[in-house]
């Protein structure tokens, strides 16, 4: 059975939103109940936005995450709020993607993880940075 007693965001009627800086503290976890199984989790977040650090124009992306959990899993609502905290933050595509991965590594200590940012084309050019980490 899933243990939800320590989750603050899930089911909260008073959700506070942060949009101007990526906030690691929004991320929450729950215990992996399937430590004996090797399995992966895939997350698809098609509504990611951030700002170009030079022009301030919005950048749109689908963020994809694949990871094999060890002891912890990321809670989905907290991850949604975390991604929303990039909305008014200026950072290059590569930096956003690596920041997300580094924060998830710090939070979860997964067996392995891959994060891909599929950014919408600007000026006819699409950027798709991806990064990986493993123990």
């Amino acid at each position: 059975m899933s243990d939800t007693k320590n989750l603050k965001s899930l089911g909260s009627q008073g959700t506070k939103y942060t949009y101007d800086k990526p906030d690691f503290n929004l991320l929450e976890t729950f215990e992996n109940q399937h430590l004996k199984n090797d399995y992966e989790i895939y997350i698809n977040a098609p509504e990611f936005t951030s700002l170009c650090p030079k022009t301030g124009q919005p950048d749109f992306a689908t963020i994809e995450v694949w990871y094999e959990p060890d002891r912890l899993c990321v809670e989905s609502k907290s991850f949604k709020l975390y991604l929303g905290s990039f909305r008014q933050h200026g950072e290059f595509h590569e930096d956003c993607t690596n920041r997300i991965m580094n924060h998830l590594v710090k939070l979860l200590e997964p067996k392995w993880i891959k994060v891909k940012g599929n950014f919408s084309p600007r000026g006819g050019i699409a950027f798709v940075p991806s990064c990986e980490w493993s123990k």
Side-chain angles (χ1 to χ4, degrees), residues 35 37-38 68-70 108-113 133-135:
L35 285 171
N37 299 339
D38 288 332
E68 184 176 349
D70 195 354
L108 302 173
E109 299 178 356
K111 294 177 183 176
W112 61 264
I113 189 168
W133 179 90
S134 63
K135 284 187 176 179

Side-chain angles (χ1 to χ4, degrees), residues 19-22 48-53 57 59 84-92 95-96 99:
Y19 297 116
D20 59 344
K21 66 178 173 34
F48 179 83
T49 60
S50 62
L51 299 177
C52 172
Q57 292 181 325
D59 289 318
S85 71
F86 283 79
R87 187 170 305 265
Q88 295 297 322
H89 176 73
E91 195 166 57
F92 289 122
D95 297 326
C96 290
R99 179 191 296 266

Side-chain angles (χ1 to χ4, degrees), residues 1 38 48 55-56 60-61 69 97 103 106 114 116 118-119 121:
M1 171 165 274
D38 288 332
F48 179 83
T55 66
F60 303 92
T97 306
H103 280 171
K106 180 179 175 183
K114 178 178 180 177
K116 178 173 138 183
N118 190 354
F119 285 83

